[in-house]
Structures are given as C-alpha cells and as structure tokens.
Amino acid sequence: MPTASLPRTAQPVQRRRTPRFARRATLRRSLRLLTSFRFEQSDPARFYGGIATDSAEMIADFYSDITERDLTDTVVLDVGGGPGYFADEFAVAGARYVSVEPDPSEMHAAGLRVAGSVRGSGMALPFRDNAFDVCFSSNVAEHVPQPWVMAEEMVRVTKPGGLIVFSYTVWHGPFGGHETGLWHYLGGEYAARRYRRKHGREPKNRFGRSLFAVTAAEGLRWAATTSADVRTVFPRYHPRWAWWLVRVPMLRELLVSNLVVVATKE
C-alpha cells in the first residue's frame, strides 16, 4: 500500500504496490487541472473535457492494478454524470458507459446525447446489486445531502472484484465554495448571500440545497468503515510527492482540495 493509503484503522498496514496512476501524478498535470477551474462557469466543455480525460486515465490505471486488464468491454457507472462530458472518453477506452443523474436540466445542459443516461438519485441507485465492473463519482458528493449513503450505494452496485472510485471536493479547501469561494470560509450561507447581492442571482451551487460541507475526515471515516477493500486515498489534484497531505489532520482539510478514495468490492 502506498504511503498515502489509509486502511480501516487509519494506520499503515501491509504495503501494496504503488498505483500505476502515481506516474501520471506530476506537477505539470496538477497545474493543468488546477488552472482549468477558472473555466468551470464560462467554458464548461473545456473544463469538464479535461477532467473527463484525466478521470478515464485514472480509472483505467486503477482497474489495471486490480485486474491486469484494460477497460475494454467493462461496464462503467458514472454517478452524477451530468450532461455527459465523460461518455466519449470511456468509449475511446472500449468501455460501455452508463451515467445516472437526478436533475433533468443538468442532463441536457450541454446538448449532448448519451445513450446510457438514466435519471435517478445517487443515494438510491436504480440498479441491481453487483451490476457494474467500475463505479465512480467525480465531484458529486459535495452536492448531495447524504454522500456516504451514496458511497455505499456505489459499493452495492459494483461487482465483486470491481472498482469503486469516489472523488469529491473538500469543503475547507480553496474550491469548497465553488463559485462562491473563497467567501465560503466565512460560512456557506454567508457566501451564498454575498454572491446573490453581487450578481443579482443565486449561485448555481447553492449552499444547503445543492452544495454541502463535506470534509476530508468524513471521507477517511467512511474508508475506515466500509465493507469495500480500500486500496488508496490521495489528493486528486496534487503531484505524487504531496500525497502525504491526507495523513495530516488539519492540513488535509485546507490543502487537499479533492479527496479520492479507491476501493474494490470484496
């Protein structure tokens, strides 16, 4: 297990091989992803297109770690898939892509047609047990009121031996408030009201309705208690040499802008 991994007791145990994905986790990649955030509202296709490419590469690496196979002919569920920016990337990888999204306006926001798109809640996934080879969620947990219910639903619908990748924005990190940051450090409600006063409209990500405070510590507690086999926990947008940040309690809340939990279904 790599040094950034946290097992059920949050203490180091048997060491596993360093993830393949670690070789991609360079400073150049980090800078590319972090600078793309300024386009989230103004040019979402540019922002989410880059995130989609990175997600497909990350998931392919971790799937290869556990199966020694690529994503060809796998069935991948994207929980909170939105308008479908990720579909093409997984199609290129040879996977069958299925997304679930509760908001119909979000599903059609980009004018994309995704054949495997299903309307439903991540907290009650409309799929049978053990249905998918891979189940992942990218930047969605902070938008649902019960993210760990969603995480357990993801485990439920994943096949034994399959891969679960749960990635979310940490509230006290610089991107926690989304378009209302960095005012969210003074409180989510205050940040939302200030945004409304300044722009004359509510933020897309409204605190208490479609944006919630999810901490790194909560993710680590889930990793320590889930029935899934947690392989590694790391900060998504950091280079490999900074993955140790997840091991430092206060520091991880401020500097781990996005936490990733990688697990397999036992």
Side-chain angles (χ1 to χ4, degrees), residues 50-61:
I51 295 293
T53 300
D54 187 75
S55 296
E57 292 174 345
M58 175 174 67
I59 288 166
D61 280 346

Side-chain angles (χ1 to χ4, degrees), residues 88-110:
D88 287 346
E89 294 296 332
F90 284 97
V92 168
R96 178 189 170 196
Y97 174 86
V98 179
S99 70
V100 60
E101 169 62 47
D103 185 352
S105 63
E106 188 70 18
M107 292 173 73
H108 304 293

Side-chain angles (χ1 to χ4, degrees), residues 53-72:
T53 300
D54 187 75
S55 296
E57 292 174 345
M58 175 174 67
I59 288 166
D61 280 346
F62 282 113
Y63 191 73
S64 181
D65 281 342
I66 66 171
T67 67
E68 295 297 331
R69 301 194 305 272
D70 62 22
L71 292 176
T72 301

Side-chain angles (χ1 to χ4, degrees), residues 1 4-11 13 16 147-152 155 164-168 214-234 246-247 252 259-266:
M1 181 177 290
S5 302
L6 291 178
R8 302 190 191 287
T9 60
Q11 297 294 327
V13 291
R16 293 177 178 173
W148 312 116
V149 171
M150 185 179 84
E152 284 302 314
V155 175
I164 303 108
V165 178
F166 191 84
S167 171
Y168 68 94
V214 188
T215 66
E218 290 175 297
L220 296 175
R221 281 197 294 271
W222 177 75
T225 57
T226 181
S227 63
D229 179 17
V230 174
R231 296 299 186 102
T232 190
V233 181
F234 66 97
V246 301
R247 302 170 64 190
R252 65 190 173 217
L259 191 75
V260 183
V261 181
V262 179
T264 55
K265 176 81 167 279
E266 296 185 319

